[in-house]
Amino acid sequence: MIENTVHATQAVVSLDVPIQGLVWGSIITVNMWAKSIGTGVVFLAAFLWFRHKKDDMPNLKWAMPLIAFVSLNVFLFFTLIDLHQPYRMIHIFTHPHWTSSITVGAWMASLFLGLITILMLIGIGEKFPGVPFKGCLLTKFGRNNASLYEKIFPFLVFLAIPVTTYTAIIMAQSSARELWQAPTEVMQMMWAALMAGSAALVFISGSWSREARRDLTLILAISTFFSFAMYMSEYFFSFKSAEAEAVLEYVHVGGPYNIEFWAGLTLGFIIPFFIAVGNMKSDNKTLLKFAALLALVGLFLVKDVWLKIPQLLPLS
Amino acid sequence: MKLGFLVDLNLCMGCKGCEIACKVENEVPLSTWRLRVKYIDLGTFPDTRRSFTPLRCNHCESAPCERICPVSALHYLENGIVNIDSERCIGCAGCMMACPYGAIYMDPETNTADKCTYCAHRIESGMMPACVVACPVEANIFGDLDDDHSNISLYIMEHKGAVQVRKPEKHTVPTHFYVGGGNQTLNPLAHKRLEGYNLFNDVTHLEHVGDKNHGILDRFLAPFVGHEELDNKSFVESATSKETHSQEGGH
């Protein structure tokens, strides 16, 4: 019993200031979630166009950049509103600090959005000549430069890789939060992009050939499985770091984020995986859309938990 | 020149004089701290003692906050101080996520990040930091680490085996040292935060980071319509939230 009376095992904080609350909250979760969709659809489009004829996915050429454009604008909007001094965002471009992955990411994401915008103008300009109105100069520009689509797209796919993963590097640079380890976060971001991208494209895949939709379903199944496996690996095997282990107590039984975490994993990973695997043969479009919706909701919940829990730990 | 700080915890008596001096000197707003003194009770009755640990920015030689700052608002001065330019700060809070010591806060009046600067403005005028001047027992020792004859260098040499830094495993190379500290006092995971056993109960999380009285829309409108005058009551309310740390799942 002597061990219970010594200083080393009995230390209690008796006076301190309140711990800072959540610094990065759900706004940042939306940011990451929307970016996953925006870059994920580009990866998926590259894969599908590599595997299938363009006629198998007739709406992909204009719908993919449209989805990416909307998602990336949501991502950038939420980045902006999270800043405590939003008008000073321009400082990232006028006073860039290149050791910061926030800076590098902001530049790359801006370039990525610019290129996606061109693809969207080409895609929509070709498909809907009268949209948004007859004689619109932007869509006319798209129609007149349709050959750019094929030239820009390969570059866009390569650019999508760092745009997807730079948030993981920001998290790695957040050296106060040991749960966010660079190698795992980079892979988590990649799987999240494939998962969100495939889930988003499911909603426009109704007119696609069965084979193309089966490939899309396969990617959804694979990405939910490996993403789930990575979360489970971190959940069970992060005990080598005392800090990460302490953080994970927030999602253990009785922890404040236990329900959100497991609800997210069940809704977003386990159920969609089984639906997607089952759907490989049956090709039930309604069920597949349900799985895609669940995957997007679950991914948001799990990302939200993973973002918040390391911030609850006292650092000093 | 490389300025550094050393706190002899054997001397510190927890008077919080340094904390108050810092607040006054730097006009640190309510609900935020550049320097705080933490009380930790060690052992079990009757074999107990209380330790006091002043905590401030470590002015690391390899500062994660400086590295992650997207606009170089956090930057090094020639004397090694990690300084902050609040005019350039965009309020992204990346530095708050990066600092392993929780030493950076979002100023609720300016909505920009802020932290201890070793009183860089005083040093520029040849004065010592306010906390050093206020300490009644000279537990705070400040000086040039590059000068072998400075007080801090002599103190470090005198206490060679007993000089510690916080979280050396983070490879931040702090220029802030402690003498007389132990794992229980310097490692936040080595002590518990139990509700109901503190001098002040309900050691809560702050509900809001930055200006709690102005939401997202206000941040955009502020340059045109200005901010309402804030009073102390609004900040006190934020620090006396009903939700306790234990309810939030703290440990």
Side-chain angles (χ1 to χ4, degrees):
Chain A
M1 296 295 281
I2 188 68
E3 75 277 11
N4 292 326
T5 65
V6 295
H7 290 165
T9 57
Q10 294 294 316
V12 177
V13 177
S14 51
L15 178 62
D16 196 8
V17 301
I19 302 161
Q20 291 208 329
L22 293 174
V23 182
W24 284 351
S26 296
I27 291 176
I28 298 293
T29 312
V30 178
N31 160 315
M32 293 192 293
W33 179 81
K35 182 159 69 76
S36 296
I37 297 174
T39 58
V41 291
V42 173
F43 291 132
L44 264 294
F47 172 72
L48 291 168
W49 276 328
F50 179 73
R51 292 261 301 153
H52 302 276
K53 293 175 188 162
K54 290 194 173 168
D55 293 343
D56 287 345
M57 297 92 54
N59 56 0
L60 189 60
K61 186 174 181 182
W62 63 269
M64 178 275 290
L66 180 64
I67 294 170
F69 179 81
V70 172
S71 306
L72 287 165
N73 274 292
V74 170
F75 149 68
L76 286 173
F77 176 70
F78 276 77
T79 304
L80 184 69
I81 64 171
D82 190 62
L83 298 183
H84 285 76
Q85 291 287 349
Y87 290 115
R88 294 188 189 171
M89 180 139 183
I90 193 72
H91 287 186
I92 291 183
F93 301 100
T94 56
H95 303 286
H97 186 215
W98 296 108
T99 63
S100 169
S101 48
I102 297 175
T103 307
V104 178
W107 280 70
M108 286 191 307
S110 303
L111 174 63
F112 189 78
L113 178 60
L115 296 175
I116 276 289
T117 307
I118 295 172
L119 295 201
M120 185 186 68
L121 292 175
I122 295 170
I124 290 181
E126 277 186 341
K127 180 71 181 175
F128 309 103
V131 172
F133 53 86
K134 209 172 178 184
C136 172
L137 288 177
L138 287 173
T139 45
K140 191 179 173 189
F141 163 82
R143 275 193 303 279
N144 293 342
N145 297 280
S147 62
L148 276 179
Y149 200 106
E150 307 291 333
K151 290 172 188 160
I152 289 175
F153 189 69
F155 179 67
L156 196 70
V157 177
F158 282 107
L159 187 60
I161 297 169
V163 172
T164 301
T165 55
Y166 87 82
T167 312
I169 310 302
I170 294 175
M171 293 169 101
Q173 284 194 326
S174 300
S175 44
R177 325 288 163 175
E178 281 207 2
L179 184 68
W180 303 337
Q181 300 285 344
T184 45
E185 286 304 326
V186 166
M187 289 315 296
Q188 282 287 18
M189 294 284 170
M190 288 299 291
W191 287 123
L194 293 175
M195 191 174 149
S198 54
L201 289 183
V202 161
F203 293 102
I204 60 154
S205 66
S207 60
W208 295 7
S209 72
R210 189 172 171 171
E211 288 71 27
R213 197 163 43 252
R214 191 160 54 201
D215 271 0
L216 188 64
T217 312
L218 179 67
I219 298 293
L220 182 63
I222 289 173
S223 56
T224 48
F225 175 80
F226 279 102
S227 195
F228 176 78
M230 289 200 69
Y231 278 117
M232 285 300 90
S233 304
E234 292 201 78
Y235 182 81
F236 286 111
F237 304 116
S238 286
F239 53 79
K240 280 189 175 178
S241 155
E243 206 175 294
E245 190 183 19
V247 166
L248 286 170
E249 282 182 22
Y250 294 110
V251 291
H252 287 170
V253 177
Y257 286 92
N258 172 263
I259 292 173
E260 188 181 344
F261 182 65
W262 285 105
L265 283 176
T266 309
L267 287 177
F269 299 77
I270 299 172
I271 296 175
F273 170 75
F274 284 110
I275 293 178
V277 169
N279 215 51
M280 299 283 286
K281 282 186 179 174
S282 63
D283 193 31
N284 184 327
K285 292 178 193 173
T286 308
L287 205 55
L288 190 59
K289 282 179 186 165
F290 179 62
L293 182 66
L294 287 183
L296 289 172
V297 172
L299 182 66
F300 180 88
L301 292 176
V302 173
K303 273 189 172 291
D304 194 54
V305 171
W306 216 250
L307 177 76
K308 287 175 178 172
I309 53 175
Q311 300 176 53
L312 299 173
L313 205 64
L315 296 174
S316 59
Chain B
M1 178 183 268
K2 186 170 76 182
L3 293 173
F5 223 110
L6 185 145
V7 181
D8 191 337
L9 297 180
N10 296 317
L11 297 175
C12 180
M13 56 186 189
C15 73
K16 289 179 171 276
C18 53
E19 197 174 308
I20 304 299
C22 172
K23 275 265 187 185
V24 173
E25 174 66 31
N26 297 293
E27 297 180 349
V28 182
L30 285 169
S31 82
T32 51
W33 297 265
R34 288 188 179 198
L35 161 62
R36 67 184 217 261
V37 181
K38 184 174 172 182
Y39 290 16
I40 298 165
D41 291 355
L42 305 162
T44 51
F45 182 80
D47 182 23
T48 60
R49 76 180 175 92
R50 177 164 291 163
S51 81
F52 312 103
T53 315
L55 299 162
R56 57 169 79 73
C57 171
N58 283 216
H59 293 266
C60 309
E61 286 187 55
S62 175
C65 59
E66 189 272 342
R67 202 159 42 241
I68 203 171
C69 180
V71 295
S72 299
L74 282 149
H75 57 276
Y76 285 104
L77 299 182
E78 280 183 4
N79 53 19
I81 288 176
V82 180
N83 200 24
I84 184 156
D85 179 355
S86 60
E87 292 298 312
R88 187 176 283 191
C89 175
I90 63 173
C92 68
C95 51
M96 294 172 72
M97 304 303 287
C99 175
Y101 310 104
I104 305 176
Y105 60 91
M106 193 61 68
D107 188 312
E109 289 177 354
T110 62
N111 256 345
T112 57
D114 216 337
K115 67 173 198 68
C116 162
T117 59
Y118 279 168
C119 282
H121 58 290
R122 288 174 62 92
I123 292 173
E124 207 174 298
S125 314
M127 294 187 283
M128 294 294 257
C131 54
V132 176
V133 177
C135 183
V137 291
E138 296 187 357
N140 288 309
I141 297 144
F142 181 75
D144 183 5
L145 292 164
D146 282 343
D147 177 1
D148 289 347
H149 303 289
S150 65
N151 276 351
I152 189 167
S153 297
L154 294 172
Y155 214 91
I156 287 172
M157 280 187 268
E158 192 182 328
H159 296 83
K160 247 178 198 166
V163 178
Q164 290 176 292
V165 294
R166 288 154 69 197
K167 300 187 180 177
E169 73 279 4
K170 297 281 186 183
H171 306 294
T172 54
V173 196
T175 60
H176 189 290
F177 305 93
Y178 291 91
V179 166
N183 185 46
Q184 312 98 312
T185 48
L186 298 179
N187 177 3
L189 295 179
H191 44 249
K192 293 175 183 168
R193 290 168 181 264
L194 301 174
E195 292 299 344
Y197 296 92
N198 307 306
L199 294 180
F200 296 116
N201 287 344
D202 294 343
V203 179
T204 60
H205 281 108
L206 280 172
E207 266 189 351
H208 196 274
V209 174
D211 182 351
K212 72 177 282 287
N213 296 288
H214 295 91
I216 289 167
L217 192 59
D218 296 305
R219 294 178 195 168
F220 286 89
L221 296 177
F224 311 108
V225 297
H227 276 182
E228 288 173 29
E229 282 294 314
L230 301 176
D231 57 17
N232 285 349
K233 192 168 170 273
S234 58
F235 290 113
V236 172
E237 278 170 358
S238 76
T240 53
S241 157
K242 295 295 174 211
E243 193 177 22
T244 65
H245 183 59
S246 56
Q247 282 169 333
E248 290 173 322
H251 66 103

